[in-house]
Amino acid sequence: MTATRLAGQGATASDSLAGSGLASRAAAAALPYQDPGLPVSARVDDLVSRMTLDDKIGQMVQSERGTTSAADVTSFRVGSILSGGGSAPANNTPAGWSDMYDDYQRAALATPLQIPILYGIDAVHGNNNVPGSTIFPHNIGLGATRDPALVERIGRATADEVKGAGLDWTFAPCVCVARNDRWGRTYESYGEKPEIASSMTTIVDGLQDADVLATAKHYVGDGGTTGGVDQGNTQISEAELRAVHLPPFRAAVERGVASVMVSFSSFNGVKVHGHKYLVTDVLKGELGFAGFVVSDWAGIDQIDGRPGFTQAEIATAVNAGLDMAMVPTDWKTFVGHLRAAVQAGQIPMSRIDDANRRILTQKFAFGLFEKPYAERGFASTVGSAEHRALARQAVRQSQVLLKNAGNVLPLAKSGGKIFVAGKSADDLGNQSGGWTVSWQGSSGNIIAGTSILAGIRAAAGNGTTVTYNRDGVGIDNSYRAAVAVIGETPYAEGEGDRTGSMGLDSTDLNTLSRLRAAGVPVIVVLVSGRPLDIGSEIGNWNALLAAWLPGSEGAGVADVLFGDYAPTGKLPVTWMQSASQQPINDGDGKTPLFPYGHGLTYDGGPDPDPDPEPSSSCRVKYTTNDWNTGFTGTVSVTNTGSTPVSPWTLTWSFTGGQTITQAWSARVTQSGSAVTASGESWSSTLAPGASASFGFNGSHPGTNPRPAAFALNGATCTTES
């Protein structure tokens, strides 16, 4: 919860009360918790003191709309409802969602204490359950933009469209760090390094400043499972977990994220849903998370490894620190087990009260008691021209130009003929991926938007002929270029895991064969949620543009193809030479097809605004965020030489009495003023052109001067601010 929201609660409450049906009660302040002029903490204290055990258990339940009637909400005091992927009211429109939401909310307000519900959805790249919504690029594309300010704006736009359908809580952002591209949720990650996901937690501000609760997920380590298996086992040291997977959650907590969702995965054999050390000691204690922890879909059921959740599993999960249980179907059984566990002394009442305080704090702070019903005025924002323009900007900034032999790109707008082919050229479902209208997504024009083909047709000048055939049939050497829009078809968690081949399918390969046979330049636009195994094919292509999963605004791809905007995206992940290299990540000593951070622009060189080439063999960027007598330091060291540095050690000296108290993503020690940072076991090598980033917290006596110099393995580095 942001301090601003808490402080401003009383000031905005009178506006919120208008038309809510609660105005007269609040004005009379019949009970302290109904008085919006009181501090949130006082309102929570008063309400909890009035709640029965049944009231408290109800607040800890999140059930699915398909198994929950409005009468159930009243009878069982249900605190939250969710829609799973694709679970929508019969009238799947903003008005239909708002009507359903208000029905549930009226049922909640019919309970004696009139506690409103929260309604959770997976609005993970726009309000993707509701047709007509703006569909933004999936996170891997946003990671390629390296633009946290853009991502914050996307959060705000998404929140407006969520509110436009009457809802108040999204299970986003996913701040996982994807370390194996075989994982079917790779596209939900901003990239393979914690710095990217941490920087993109700006989306939390965008969502919550617009009064939609955000959820940092999936806590913790889901991107690091062995083999990239979804819901698998993350078998790494605690040091690596802290260095790679924990920092984005720290960043989200610092931004006041309202909820954190626990991962299905295990940490060294122990399901995180039952891991008290990680949930209570680390997240709530060490990181200071003040919001509430919610389980994933029936996640408690997996703790003992057998189907069907038990009272013992519920006790384990709640005592581990879970505050709200997502129990989509068997939630009434859950209510009985939870009550019995409390009555038997297996769960202390103090833990139940703590869970309720955390949940109710968010309901008060986000104004639900004053504004319990759908904010229908936001319906006009759903799919608005302004939001689609923002999405188009995000699409073009996410494009990563990986190859451009002979500067075949950008395409000229005038003259001649261009041939377009590929199964994803005219398919909005393919370019949007999973979590689009339905859980797994689907091919076809399932949403409103602009396909990549339509964008190409609109961008080409009047003197250019654009011919399209999905399979590449009909091309000849009279065309000046062929654009093949190929790649993956939609999938989501589990279904997207790839244990074997990660290459192009036979449809794509056959299309490419026809285009190559015509003897014209072949430009590949790859629509995918991760790097694909293309090492054996790329030699036959003149250009390769990684478009990721751009969403509803395919014209953003055409903006780059025709040079209206130069490509600026940088790889958020390392691109394998072959699937046998998985997992492959920056600094692991493996030689990639394209390194992390790679991205060309139209002069054939690196990205615009390149760093000056230093005369030394290393470059260091050092920044700090200071407060009072503390600070957070961020260091990035780049090997600018021609040979690998393995193992690497960076040294510097503080000149102002600074002391490092905690570090991540590197082994950092201090002796007096001298500091030494070395790569971890998984990041001990710096290949030519590769970078390693790490961070630390420290204290200073009042001033915090920059170190005068840095040295990599004894060699002085060029520094930048």
Side-chain angles (χ1 to χ4, degrees):
M1 186 53 33
T2 62
T4 301
R5 178 173 290 106
L6 289 171
Q9 190 66 25
T12 61
S14 59
D15 295 332
S16 303
L17 286 169
S20 70
L22 295 180
S24 59
R25 289 196 303 274
L31 296 171
Y33 77 86
Q34 296 174 324
D35 183 356
L38 292 177
V40 167
S41 59
R43 299 178 75 184
V44 171
D45 287 344
D46 180 66
L47 178 53
V48 170
S49 72
R50 300 175 189 278
M51 295 171 72
T52 66
L53 178 58
D54 285 346
D55 291 326
K56 295 174 181 178
I57 288 173
Q59 288 301 301
M60 297 173 67
V61 172
Q62 184 178 62
S63 59
E64 217 280 336
R65 56 164 293 278
T67 65
T68 312
S69 67
D72 287 334
V73 171
T74 306
S75 297
F76 288 87
R77 315 292 200 260
V78 174
S80 179
I81 309 290
L82 85 147
S83 279
S87 175
N91 179 17
N92 192 358
T93 66
W97 281 87
S98 293
D99 290 344
M100 177 190 67
Y101 177 86
D102 283 351
D103 284 345
Y104 281 127
Q105 205 63 278
R106 277 188 288 270
L109 299 178
T111 60
L113 293 174
Q114 303 170 6
I115 303 173
I117 63 161
L118 286 167
Y119 198 111
I121 50 164
D122 286 282
V124 298
H125 61 144
N127 194 8
N128 42 261
N129 273 342
V130 183
S133 299
T134 308
I135 304 300
F136 293 93
H138 269 298
N139 286 355
I140 193 169
L142 298 182
T145 72
R146 303 295 203 277
D147 192 341
L150 172 69
V151 170
E152 181 175 351
R153 291 172 62 200
I154 289 171
R156 178 60 187 252
T158 299
D160 285 348
E161 297 202 18
V162 166
K163 289 195 297 184
L167 308 179
D168 50 46
W169 180 16
T170 175
F171 304 134
C174 184
V175 294
C176 53
V177 181
R179 304 291 289 180
N180 191 321
D181 299 328
R182 293 187 180 280
W183 187 36
R185 303 192 83 148
T186 296
Y187 66 79
E188 296 186 56
S189 169
Y190 292 107
E192 70 182 39
K193 290 191 173 184
E195 304 92 275
I196 292 186
S198 297
S199 69
M200 296 303 180
T201 56
T202 51
I203 197 171
V204 171
D205 296 338
L207 290 164
Q208 295 194 165
D209 286 350
D211 292 325
V212 169
L213 281 74
T215 307
K217 67 180 188 183
H218 304 88
Y219 184 83
V220 60
D222 55 339
T225 61
T226 301
V229 175
D230 191 47
Q231 305 185 21
N233 189 15
T234 302
Q235 296 170 288
I236 58 177
S237 67
E238 182 179 338
E240 184 175 349
L241 185 80
R242 286 176 169 272
V244 175
H245 301 282
L246 190 62
F249 289 95
R250 178 185 291 110
V253 168
E254 290 172 353
R255 292 187 183 278
V257 70
S259 64
V260 168
M261 183 181 290
V262 177
S263 176
F264 282 123
S265 58
S266 302
F267 177 53
N268 290 328
V270 179
K271 283 288 184 182
V272 182
H273 273 75
H275 208 302
K276 185 175 183 180
Y277 171 70
L278 289 178
V279 177
T280 294
D281 297 349
V282 176
L283 176 62
K284 293 182 173 180
E286 181 181 325
L287 269 59
F289 175 56
F292 64 91
V293 176
V294 62
S295 77
D296 208 334
W297 183 279
I300 291 174
D301 187 17
Q302 297 188 11
I303 291 176
D304 65 7
R306 295 186 298 272
F309 62 82
T310 64
Q311 185 171 316
E313 284 178 304
I314 292 169
T316 297
V318 174
N319 287 330
L322 269 68
D323 302 308
M324 182 183 290
M326 186 189 295
V327 193
T329 56
D330 298 327
W331 60 271
K332 293 179 182 178
T333 302
F334 172 86
V335 166
H337 283 328
L338 180 56
R339 182 188 298 110
V342 174
Q343 292 172 339
Q346 296 171 341
I347 302 172
M349 186 56 68
S350 59
R351 175 75 272 274
I352 300 297
D353 285 347
D354 175 60
N356 273 262
R357 288 178 185 280
R358 289 172 174 272
I359 295 164
L360 293 170
T361 293
Q362 302 307 319
K363 290 186 176 184
F364 279 118
F366 278 84
L368 280 169
F369 280 79
E370 283 67 61
K371 295 189 298 182
Y373 294 114
E375 297 188 65
R376 295 173 188 259
F378 283 90
S380 62
T381 70
V382 176
S384 67
E386 178 185 358
H387 289 174
R388 292 189 181 277
L390 176 63
R392 182 171 177 172
Q393 177 187 348
V395 172
R396 60 180 176 251
Q397 287 187 221
S398 70
Q399 304 300 288
V400 181
L401 183 61
L402 296 173
K403 179 180 180 179
N404 193 21
N407 291 326
V408 66
L409 290 177
L411 292 168
K413 289 189 174 184
S414 60
K417 300 188 297 182
I418 298 171
F419 197 96
V420 180
K423 66 175 184 285
S424 296
D426 195 28
D427 194 305
L428 285 157
N430 284 358
Q431 73 186 44
S432 297
W435 297 106
T436 306
V437 182
S438 63
W439 173 36
Q440 294 289 325
S442 60
S443 298
N445 292 327
I446 59 174
I447 60 169
T450 302
S451 71
I452 294 172
L453 173 64
I456 290 173
R457 290 192 188 279
N462 292 332
T464 299
T465 299
V466 176
T467 301
Y468 167 67
N469 180 273
R470 183 181 187 276
D471 300 317
V473 175
I475 189 172
D476 57 36
N477 62 8
S478 66
Y479 290 88
R480 58 182 168 94
V483 179
V485 188
I486 59 176
E488 295 187 298
T489 53
Y491 56 82
E493 53 186 319
E495 297 296 322
D497 286 1
R498 296 289 179 263
T499 58
S501 170
M502 299 180 69
L504 299 172
D505 62 23
S506 60
T507 298
D508 288 343
L509 294 173
N510 290 335
T511 299
L512 289 168
S513 179
R514 295 184 187 101
L515 300 181
R516 289 198 306 269
V520 302
V522 175
I523 298 155
V524 171
V525 175
L526 196 62
V527 173
S528 67
R530 56 187 150 202
L532 299 184
D533 187 346
I534 56 172
S536 62
E537 297 293 326
I538 192 172
N540 297 314
W541 308 340
N542 296 80
L544 171 60
L545 188 69
W548 312 110
L549 297 170
S552 61
E553 307 310 309
V557 178
D559 287 338
V560 172
L561 286 173
F562 285 92
D564 289 327
Y565 294 85
T568 57
K570 300 180 182 181
L571 283 182
V573 290
T574 303
W575 202 293
M576 61 189 154
Q577 290 199 49
S578 70
S580 64
Q581 287 187 308
Q582 290 295 335
I584 180 171
N585 293 286
D586 187 41
D588 62 9
K590 299 176 183 178
T591 302
L593 184 63
F594 298 109
Y596 174 90
H598 178 70
L600 305 174
T601 191
Y602 285 147
D603 62 8
D607 291 301
D609 302 319
D611 298 319
E613 188 64 31
S615 58
S616 64
S617 60
C618 53
R619 181 176 67 248
V620 170
K621 183 174 183 179
Y622 177 85
T623 58
T624 65
N625 179 22
D626 298 2
W627 68 90
N628 297 328
T629 59
F631 71 107
T632 297
T634 302
V635 183
S636 175
V637 54
T638 302
N639 176 10
T640 58
S642 58
T643 58
V645 180
S646 182
W648 64 266
T649 299
L650 187 71
T651 56
W652 72 89
S653 293
F654 284 128
T655 60
Q658 300 99 321
T659 301
I660 292 176
T661 57
Q662 179 189 27
W664 51 91
S665 299
R667 297 190 298 272
V668 181
T669 59
Q670 183 173 358
S671 177
S673 62
V675 181
T676 301
S678 302
E680 297 281 7
S681 59
W682 64 91
S683 61
S684 61
T685 298
L686 275 177
S691 300
S693 298
F694 59 93
F696 59 85
N697 290 329
S699 61
H700 61 80
T703 59
N704 186 23
R706 290 173 54 86
F710 295 83
L712 180 65
N713 288 17
T716 301
C717 300
T718 298
T719 59
E720 59 176 301
S721 59

